[in-house]
Amino acid sequence: MNDSGRLLKVLGVGFGLAGSIGGTIGAGILRIPGLVADQLPSQPLILWIWVLGASYALLGAVCVAELAAAMPRAGGWYVYAEEAFGRRAGFLVGWSDWIAHCIGLAWVVTTLGDYLAPLLPMGSAWIAVGILALFTLIQWPGVRSGGASQEFLSLIKALIFAALVVACFALPLPNRVEAPASFIPPDVNLFVPVVLALQAVITTYDGWACPIYFAEEFSTPSRDLPRSLIGGVLAVAGLYLLINAALLHVLPIPVLAESSLPAATAAERLVGPLGGTVITAVALISLLGVTNTVAMAAPRILFGLGRDGLMPSFTAEVNAGGTPIHALLITSLCSALLVVSGSFESLLGMGAFLYVGLPLCGFITLMVLRQRQPELDRPFRCWAYPLTPIVVATVSLAFLLAALWSDSVNSLWALALVAAGGLASEASQRLRAAA
């Protein structure tokens, strides 16, 4: 253990941007453009819907940047909920956040296992558990090791996607067929298609808040956290727009709309069957970056809860390199158990509900703290307050209600899981008080 028992303040904007990019860009951008084109058969509308999705993420980053810079402590959304609503509410948010991370980590490594199973002489579940073990070992030496791997994977990921964009515009297209100009008849109601397309686009921005989990480890958090959050969203948004423009350049909209993996379809048009293999490699690298980000972030949630007495104290123990080792082991073990359980359909539905609800808690917390603690030192202040948090909170609430309506069973199970954590915490607190 290090002498202070604290996390190390060794991170900077470079890691913050890498964390935001690495935690956001996954396999979704390889698949979602086809879903959007299926809803909106118009090039301008397709590009505008990606701009709207980026705007939502950017406004969310602006809101959270104020909270992160004012309260640069490990724990993620828990820190802000505890400050605004007290320890019980803080625990419920932190518990939910950690569970959502474990579900997400298990899903990502399972997907990696499915990709690699044809290449390795073992089952996909064992491959997934092996990947978990590998990234646990990468994180074990300390934050410098995890941070370096994050920066490397994010850089490689960005370069590969940039190369894909360049190839789409630079390489000649064999047997190019000009599709007729796409348009949407004026009498068509676009409300439902736009909502469905926007919902799909926003899911590709999940992960934009990753820097907040490392807030305590930035050397200059008041400056680095806002730059990491806002800069990360802008970098991802720019890359997403370029990817969609490149796909629209190569593929007619009907072909784009019918493809389950548009990036692979575009690559195959450009370089033949090798293109599918190339896109598979891109997906693998993207998922590895996400795995590293989540494996780093989730233990910081347990660390924050343990340090504040809401989880067993050993979860707050930190090794000499700045890694919460027991929290890391618990996270990896829980994710491994989810992997071998194999019941991902319901888990993902529960996780999706939590992923939407957590940022909503953050936006509400921002407004509550502005009222209750106007004297709080805020090195960065949310732009256009209170309009910005009201807009993003309204959108988040709409998506939360949509999730509750469209997948009510898993959403209710997610709420039950949150409640179970709260009841267990309450019982534990009373037993300790009685002892």
Side-chain angles (χ1 to χ4, degrees):
M1 304 300 151
N2 65 40
D3 293 338
S4 64
R6 298 177 181 175
L7 302 173
L8 305 180
K9 293 182 175 293
V10 296
L11 301 179
V13 174
F15 170 83
L17 293 173
S20 184
I21 294 170
T24 303
I25 301 177
I29 186 57
L30 302 174
R31 181 175 59 88
I32 295 300
L35 300 178
V36 174
D38 188 47
Q39 295 293 332
L40 302 172
S42 163
Q43 288 192 8
L45 273 178
I46 289 172
L47 294 176
W48 271 111
I49 211 71
W50 284 92
V51 171
L52 282 177
S55 300
Y56 167 81
L58 179 61
L59 293 178
V62 167
C63 291
V64 177
E66 176 175 316
L67 295 170
M71 293 169 282
R73 304 200 304 273
W77 302 109
Y78 148 73
V79 174
Y80 319 133
E82 192 271 343
E83 187 73 20
F85 303 112
R87 289 170 63 84
R88 286 183 174 84
F91 173 81
L92 289 177
V93 169
W95 163 258
S96 304
D97 199 5
W98 181 71
I99 288 293
H101 272 71
C102 289
I103 292 172
L105 183 57
W107 177 80
V108 172
V109 296
T110 297
T111 304
L112 283 166
D114 291 339
Y115 271 117
L116 293 172
L119 306 175
L120 298 173
M122 60 184 72
S124 60
W126 287 107
I127 296 172
V129 172
I131 293 170
L132 265 176
L134 172 63
F135 279 93
T136 300
L137 291 175
I138 290 173
Q139 304 304 323
W140 190 274
V143 65
R144 286 185 175 90
S145 172
S149 61
Q150 186 62 55
E151 291 175 9
F152 173 75
L153 288 169
S154 296
L155 176 62
I156 295 298
K157 183 189 301 190
L159 290 175
I160 290 176
F161 275 108
L164 175 64
V165 170
V166 171
C168 286
F169 286 110
L171 294 179
L173 286 171
N175 303 320
R176 181 181 178 90
V177 177
E178 293 292 341
S182 58
F183 71 97
I184 297 178
D187 58 334
V188 172
N189 187 341
L190 288 176
F191 178 76
V192 172
V194 165
V195 169
L196 293 175
L198 183 60
Q199 186 174 16
V201 167
I202 285 177
T203 62
T204 67
Y205 282 95
D206 285 344
W208 57 263
C210 277
I212 69 173
Y213 296 98
F214 311 95
E216 198 165 320
E217 295 159 274
F218 281 88
S219 55
T220 315
S222 61
R223 180 196 66 189
D224 293 345
L225 280 166
R227 291 181 180 181
S228 299
L229 288 161
I230 296 170
V233 169
L234 291 175
V236 171
L239 191 56
Y240 280 0
L241 285 172
L242 286 173
I243 291 170
N244 277 275
L247 293 176
L248 289 169
H249 176 73
V250 173
L251 302 175
I253 286 184
V255 176
L256 181 61
E258 291 177 1
S259 176
S260 60
L261 199 61
T265 304
E268 288 171 357
R269 281 205 168 198
L270 292 169
V271 298
L274 178 62
T277 303
V278 170
I279 296 305
T280 299
V282 172
L284 285 171
I285 293 172
S286 297
L287 292 171
L288 287 173
V290 174
T291 303
N292 193 76
T293 304
V294 180
M296 283 191 76
R300 270 73 182 171
I301 304 170
L302 283 186
F303 169 86
L305 292 169
R307 182 177 56 183
D308 291 346
L310 296 173
M311 291 290 278
S313 59
F314 63 81
T315 59
E317 293 181 2
V318 178
N319 69 8
T323 294
I325 52 172
H326 295 131
L328 173 63
L329 289 175
I330 293 170
T331 298
S332 299
L333 179 60
C334 178
S335 298
L337 291 174
L338 292 175
V339 168
V340 298
S341 73
S343 56
F344 272 96
E345 190 171 328
S346 58
L347 286 173
L348 283 175
M350 293 162 60
F353 184 84
L354 297 175
Y355 293 142
V356 177
L358 290 165
L360 176 60
C361 290
F363 305 144
I364 294 172
T365 296
L366 171 66
M367 293 184 282
V368 169
L369 289 177
R370 278 286 189 107
Q371 295 297 317
R372 293 183 180 176
Q373 298 185 24
E375 76 289 348
L376 180 67
D377 182 27
R378 294 175 169 87
F380 178 91
R381 299 181 75 87
C382 173
W383 305 339
Y385 182 89
L387 181 61
T388 297
I390 289 174
V391 169
V392 291
T394 301
V395 174
S396 298
L397 180 60
F399 280 112
L400 193 68
L401 293 175
L404 187 60
W405 175 263
S406 63
D407 192 6
S408 55
V409 173
N410 287 324
S411 298
L412 290 173
W413 272 112
L415 291 173
L417 187 63
V418 173
L423 291 173
S425 174
E426 187 70 21
S428 175
Q429 294 287 342
R430 291 190 178 185
L431 286 174
R432 277 201 290 258

